[in-house]
């Protein structure tokens, strides 16, 4: 497997997410790194391809080490407020086949399933200003599915 890079973009209390047909879940814009590309360059390229947005890397959030030996890099990215996210394309999908990206949208945490939120914790969302405090305010009640 090749390394992947993702962009975590926050506007106020909303996170930029894409909905994909392949996994049928909300996820961060991102994808495989190309030969000779830095992780930062890959995150910004994927953001442009998948959401139509130009961004600037603010800082790294996390590096995950995957079971297959690859790594996933996550960066906090800023985009100007004038830009609107659109469902872009995945250039790895052959021409004529249905695109895997259904939509791009700004989501609040309470609009995401617990499964989708779990990925955000791993990617470093709690390192973004305001999110640790927000999560701590939820209290101690267990809310994941039982059984």
């Amino acid at each position: 497997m090749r390394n992947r890079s993702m962009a975590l973009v926050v506007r106020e209390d909303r996170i930029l997410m894409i909905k994909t047909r392949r996994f049928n879940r909300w996820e961060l814009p991102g994808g495989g790194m190309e030969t000779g590309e830095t992780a930062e360059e890959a995150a910004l390229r994927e953001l442009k391809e998948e959401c139509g947005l130009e961004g600037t890397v603010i800082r790294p959030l996390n590096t995950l080490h995957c079971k297959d030996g690859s790594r996933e890099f996550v960066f906090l990215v800023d985009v100007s407020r004038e830009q609107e996210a659109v469902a872009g394309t995945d250039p790895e999908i052959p021409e004529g086949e249905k695109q895997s990206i259904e939509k791009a949208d700004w989501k609040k945490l309470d609009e995401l399933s617990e499964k989708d939120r779990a990925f955000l914790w791993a990617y470093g969302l709690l390192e973004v200003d305001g999110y640790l405090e927000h999560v701590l305010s939820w209290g101690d009640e267990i809310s994941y599915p039982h059984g």
Side-chain angles (χ1 to χ4, degrees):
M1 289 296 262
R2 63 183 178 161
N3 292 335
R4 294 176 39 84
S5 194
M6 291 169 274
L8 195 152
V9 183
V10 175
R11 275 192 185 159
E12 297 168 10
D13 60 346
R14 297 179 182 273
I15 303 159
L16 178 63
M17 306 287 288
I18 59 169
K19 178 85 174 215
T20 62
R21 285 181 177 81
R22 188 169 129 199
F23 297 114
N24 191 31
R25 67 179 179 93
W26 289 99
E27 55 190 76
L28 294 179
M33 293 172 56
E34 296 178 353
T35 304
E37 187 174 48
T38 67
E40 292 90 343
E41 290 167 340
L44 296 177
R45 176 183 50 76
E46 291 286 346
L47 179 65
K48 178 71 173 170
E49 289 173 356
E50 296 181 355
C51 302
L53 298 173
E54 299 279 346
T56 304
V57 171
I58 298 172
R59 63 185 167 91
L61 284 174
N62 203 0
T63 302
L64 292 94
H65 298 269
C66 304
K67 291 178 186 178
D68 65 4
S70 66
R71 292 179 291 169
E72 292 185 342
F73 301 92
V74 185
F75 296 92
L76 183 60
V77 173
D78 182 51
V79 298
S80 65
R81 295 200 54 77
E82 306 81 57
Q83 297 184 77
E84 286 301 321
V86 296
T89 59
D90 182 344
E92 294 179 21
I93 303 290
E95 189 173 328
E97 285 189 27
K98 197 170 194 176
Q99 278 293 319
S100 63
I101 300 170
E102 290 182 11
K103 58 176 113 170
D105 200 4
W106 300 92
K107 301 301 245 176
K108 288 184 172 189
L109 283 178
D110 63 2
E111 297 174 322
L112 298 169
S113 72
E114 292 213 27
K115 178 178 66 174
D116 294 346
R117 281 184 268 168
F119 287 97
L120 292 174
W121 309 150
Y123 294 149
L125 180 64
L126 298 181
E127 298 297 321
V128 176
D129 289 344
Y131 279 95
L132 177 60
E133 296 79 11
H134 180 71
V135 170
L136 290 174
S137 75
W138 292 348
D140 296 330
E141 183 178 326
I142 295 174
S143 59
Y144 59 82
H146 300 284

